[in-house]
Amino acid sequence: IRPDYGSFNMAIASLSELQKNGNGFRSHQAIGKTCFDHLSTMIQFYKDGYEDCAPDYKIFLKVLNALELDRRRGNWSLARKVLEEMLHLSGTVDSNVYWTETMHQDASEKRDNKWKNVNVFPRTKDFNIILAMIANADVVDQEKLDYATNLVDLMEHLVKKERSGYDNESFSNRIVQFEGHGNSYNCKPDIFTYNTLISIAANAGRPEVAEETLKKMAKKSAAGDFSVKPDKTTFNTVISAWARSKTHSSGDKAAGVIHLMQKMADEGDESVRPDR
């Protein structure tokens, strides 16, 4: 008897509950990997023609949450594969455009067609999970920063419905299709997205990237997008990044960020006034 969607869903859900309650399965930190393995099996069964095993968005989200919660070293790479599979299976991104690895490298047009009515497109919170896991990794290097930057760039491109790097007709059809089902490409970067990217840049020793992201947020908020208006966390993380860089200009750079905070506060935004 082959397990179906319900079987895998109950297994993943029960493991998630064990994790939330602090109870161990083998060990508490093995739960995320076990959920990931269940998802991989579901996709393989579905690929082999067993349609009752098709995972939906809720399954993907449960697995991402499980991987994030157990904070096991290396889990971010598994979470990355989950996100990339969501992007690929939803027909949004060809694996050869942005990403170098997915769960299944031998994707076919047949599979893409079969998945066309399954909305597994990732939302903002899914992207943010990956970014948070990168920021909390033991080592944050240039490679992780580059990946995180590309991830945020992709979110911005999808929101604008730009087609650079995509097959125009295919991408347009996907947009119409999801919107026709009452869904949309709801992956707009929010303040958590940008603040986490700034944290990643700071941890990677790239304060200039952190400050560039801050300026982008300020520009967007000045243009009316108040959902990404820099807050005190944004500024303090950039200041910390410059302080940790220990370059000859780090003091001046940090002072410049503080000056910008003071300027914004004087213009009416008391929430970002520098504190002690």
Side-chain angles (χ1 to χ4, degrees), residues 203-228:
N203 292 340
R206 295 292 305 277
E208 72 283 2
V209 175
E211 185 167 345
E212 287 171 8
T213 305
L214 164 62
K215 290 178 179 178
K216 177 191 286 189
M217 295 171 70
K219 183 177 180 181
K220 285 178 176 289
S221 63
D225 186 0
F226 301 113
S227 66
V228 295

Side-chain angles (χ1 to χ4, degrees), residues 178-226:
F178 283 133
E179 291 183 342
H181 283 79
N183 300 299
S184 64
Y185 284 79
N186 185 21
C187 62
K188 180 180 179 296
D190 57 19
I191 190 167
F192 183 88
T193 306
Y194 289 117
N195 279 354
T196 308
L197 180 59
I198 287 173
S199 179
I200 293 169
N203 292 340
R206 295 292 305 277
E208 72 283 2
V209 175
E211 185 167 345
E212 287 171 8
T213 305
L214 164 62
K215 290 178 179 178
K216 177 191 286 189
M217 295 171 70
K219 183 177 180 181
K220 285 178 176 289
S221 63
D225 186 0
F226 301 113

Side-chain angles (χ1 to χ4, degrees), residues 76 98 159 161 236 251 253 265 274:
W76 91 270
Y98 276 94
V159 169
K161 298 181 181 179
N236 287 343
K253 293 289 187 179

